[in-house]
Amino acid sequence: MNDHPVHAVVTFDEGVPVAVDGETLTVPEAVRELNFRAGVVRSSLGSVALRVARTAIRGGSGEVDITLLEGRVVGIVARSEESLYDFAS
């Protein structure tokens, strides 16, 4: 587990994660990538992060900047027409 923040931008299309930091991935690949970056193995962190991110864009399309730290989602900022939040200007 990493003891420093890990940032990733997840792209969603109609509520489905389709890319992490611009790299096209399937949902299972996105989960594994987020777990890998966070330094966790066999953890639900990646899937939890995707669910939290999807909530921020209300299941629509857009990008979500997530921050993972010590096995937790500690930050989230979304950019989308449907988002609850928006990236800082």
Side-chain angles (χ1 to χ4, degrees):
M1 187 175 314
N2 288 331
D3 59 353
H4 59 279
V6 175
H7 300 274
V9 175
V10 180
T11 304
F12 287 84
D13 184 18
E14 296 183 14
V16 177
V18 295
V20 175
D21 287 337
E23 180 182 346
T24 301
L25 299 171
T26 65
V27 175
E29 290 170 337
V31 169
R32 284 191 296 271
E33 178 65 19
L34 293 173
N35 284 342
F36 174 77
R37 290 183 186 196
V40 295
V41 179
R42 296 185 184 195
S43 170
S44 62
L45 178 61
S47 60
V48 169
L50 292 178
R51 283 193 305 253
V52 170
R54 184 175 184 263
T55 300
I57 60 165
R58 299 184 183 213
S61 299
E63 294 181 330
V64 181
D65 183 356
I66 59 175
T67 303
L68 308 172
L69 177 64
E70 297 178 350
R72 297 177 290 138
V73 178
V74 296
I76 186 165
V77 184
R79 176 174 38 224
S80 130
E81 293 296 319
E82 301 89 11
S83 69
L84 297 173
Y85 313 101
D86 202 356
F87 283 102
S89 302

